[in-house]
Each structure stands twice: as C-alpha cells, then as structure tokens.
Amino acid sequence: NSQSDCPPDVETLGRGTWTLLHSIAASYPESPSTSQQSDLLSFVKLFSKLYPCWVCAEDFKTYLGKEVPRVGSGDEFGKWLCGAHNDVNRKLGKPEFDCSRWQERWRTGWKDGRCD
Ligand code: FAD
C-alpha cells in the first residue's frame, strides 16, 4: 500500500526494530567470546542513544539502568530482550509475551509447525 512508501511512523519503526533486535538475539552464540559480549553491550547502549523515537529511547535508557542487559548467551540475551519488549507492551497496554517461547517466535519457528 502507499503507506509503505512514506516515512515510518512509531509503529512501523517499532515493528521493524523489534524484528532486528530479536533476530540479533536469535543469531547470537550460545557461548560468546568476551569481545562478542562487549560488542553486544556497546550496541545496546549506542542503540538507546540513537533510536529515532526519542520518548521511546528515553524510556529504554531508563530500563537499561534498572535491568542490566544479560549478554552471556543467546538464550540469556533473548530472555532479557523479551523482558524489555514486555515493559513497552505493558506501557502501551498490549498483551505480554510468554518469554519461555521467545525462541519459537524468533529462532526455531512454532512447535505446531505454523512457520513451515
Ligand atoms: P510489536 O510490539 O512491534 O511486536 C512485534 C512482534 O513481536 C509481535 O507481533 C509479537 O509476535 C512479538 N513480540 C511481542 N512482544 C514480544 C516480547 N516481549 N518478546 C518477544 N517477541 C515479542 N511505541 C510507543 O508508542 N511508545 C514507546 O515508548 C515505544 N517504545 C519503544 C521502544 C523500543 C526499544 C522499540 C523497539 C519500540 C518502541 N515502541 C514504542 C514501538 C512499539 O513497541 C511497537 O513496536 C509498535 O507499537 C507496533 O506494535 P505491534 O503491535 O505491531 O507489535
């Protein structure tokens, strides 16, 4: 539709960004090296300064201050990110996501075969 040719609004930007962030978690190693861990931590912190929805970025920075990103493995980071996304969901009145299933949504596909 013509909307997709327009500059992104907060919703379109958000959906695309969550897709990128959860996909980074899905491809992050189970046993990351020290430099991979510090790269991910730097990325998350820089992201919180550059995300071009400023109210969103401010709240995300506050969340980072309360809940330090866990970058010790893909599953650890995926669960941390799911918690961060749920914090935004709560704020916007959207349903919370069951974080025990983040890998089905973003890495393996649903166990019922819906993505096959
Ligand atoms: P989205 O929230 O974009 O989610 C996309 C898909 O991710 C969902 O369909 C679902 O399958 C899956 N999903 C949902 N929750 C989780 C979870 N917890 N873990 C894993 N997967 C999940 N918008 C504002 O109006 N105000 C804000 O302050 C704001 N802050 C934001 C901060 C960040 C860092 C980001 C990336 C986005 C922010 N947004 C904000 C945008 C908002 O989060 C949504 O992206 C937007 O409202 C579109 O929502 P949606 O219903 O399409 O689904």
Side-chain angles (χ1 to χ4, degrees):
N1 63 25
S2 59
Q3 182 70 32
S4 57
D5 296 330
C6 300
D9 58 17
V10 171
E11 280 73 34
T12 301
L13 177 69
R15 271 190 294 275
T17 301
W18 288 122
T19 299
L20 172 65
L21 293 174
H22 292 294
S23 300
I24 287 174
S27 69
Y28 188 69
E30 271 315 295
S31 302
S33 65
T34 313
S35 79
Q36 285 171 317
Q37 295 185 48
S38 74
D39 282 351
L40 184 54
L41 210 50
S42 304
F43 172 79
V44 171
K45 286 184 183 157
L46 286 172
F47 167 85
S48 78
K49 294 188 188 180
L50 296 169
Y51 190 60
C53 158
W54 310 121
V55 287
C56 307
E58 272 313 310
D59 287 355
F60 188 67
K61 264 187 253 170
T62 304
Y63 189 82
L64 287 183
K66 285 188 304 193
E67 298 287 339
V68 177
R70 301 205 318 270
V71 298
S73 74
D75 193 53
E76 215 179 83
F77 183 64
K79 292 211 168 83
W80 178 85
L81 190 61
C82 181
H85 194 162
N86 272 339
D87 192 58
V88 180
N89 289 343
R90 272 191 297 276
K91 182 172 79 172
L92 300 180
K94 293 181 194 276
E96 286 193 38
F97 188 91
D98 174 359
C99 289
S100 71
R101 308 194 75 178
W102 84 269
Q103 297 215 17
E104 283 181 73
R105 170 68 177 89
W106 296 105
R107 197 174 79 84
T108 59
W110 297 102
K111 291 202 175 97
D112 64 12
R114 182 162 10 149
C115 307
D116 294 349

